[in-house]
Amino acid sequence: MASSSTLSKNQKMASSSVPSLMKDEEPRNWAELPSELTFSILNRLGAIDILENAQKVCTSWRRVSLDPLMWRKIDMHYLGDMGSMIYDFESMCRHAVDRSQGGLVEIDIWHFGTDDLLNYIADRFCLFISLFLCDSKAR
């Protein structure tokens, strides 16, 4: 069992490592971030992360994730092992395209694009500017 002098020394070390501003501040609620800041955070994620994780954080993050401006540029880049895919990427991509509500200007599709998916995108958006396919199945 640690002595009281050891405990107080450890407590002093722990408290001295916390910046003084953080000691007196109230904890912040992520749901109360301004929507512009939440947009900026989510905009740094790929579509897969937003659809599978970020939009489930809280209702305010979900609201921002539904904004068509969030989906002007869609990055469907999956960093995991494609052999053990647990996602239906084509369905997720269609969902992301639908969320853009016609405002899509750029889309990156990695390793799963098909003719059907490309036709789906082309039928809905004739004004998009950039399409990037990497090792897709489109023929």
Side-chain angles (χ1 to χ4, degrees):
M1 187 119 208
S3 68
S4 61
S5 64
T6 305
L7 285 176
S8 62
K9 183 193 284 185
N10 290 340
Q11 289 171 341
K12 286 179 187 176
M13 285 176 48
S15 66
S16 67
S17 65
V18 176
S20 61
L21 290 176
M22 290 180 67
K23 290 179 190 175
D24 300 328
E25 287 183 11
E26 291 290 319
R28 294 200 174 132
N29 183 347
W30 285 93
E32 295 174 357
L33 287 174
S35 59
E36 297 82 16
L37 185 55
T38 303
F39 183 92
S40 179
I41 292 168
L42 296 182
N43 205 33
R44 297 178 195 315
L45 302 175
I48 296 166
D49 287 329
I50 295 170
L51 293 169
E52 286 299 310
N53 301 307
Q55 73 172 353
K56 300 173 185 175
V57 169
C58 60
T59 55
S60 65
W61 284 39
R62 170 105 173 125
R63 191 176 328 106
V64 170
S65 76
L66 293 172
D67 184 340
L69 291 176
M70 185 96 248
W71 302 97
R72 290 178 47 81
K73 295 181 179 181
I74 298 173
D75 178 7
M76 294 295 297
H77 188 183
Y78 179 64
L79 297 174
D81 176 19
M82 294 303 286
S84 63
M85 291 187 338
I86 57 173
Y87 302 121
D88 178 358
F89 290 110
E90 188 161 330
S91 176
M92 290 175 73
C93 188
R94 289 172 189 252
H95 191 70
V97 166
D98 291 342
R99 283 194 180 183
S100 74
Q101 296 181 6
L104 180 65
V105 295
E106 180 179 323
I107 186 165
D108 293 354
I109 300 172
W110 293 71
H111 307 293
F112 67 91
T114 64
D115 289 342
D116 287 339
L117 178 61
L118 296 178
N119 285 327
Y120 184 86
I121 295 167
D123 288 346
R124 282 151 186 79
F125 306 100
C126 60
L127 299 177
F128 70 89
I129 297 167
S130 175
L131 170 66
F132 178 80
L133 298 174
C134 178
D135 192 28
S136 70
K137 298 175 189 173
R139 294 185 183 105

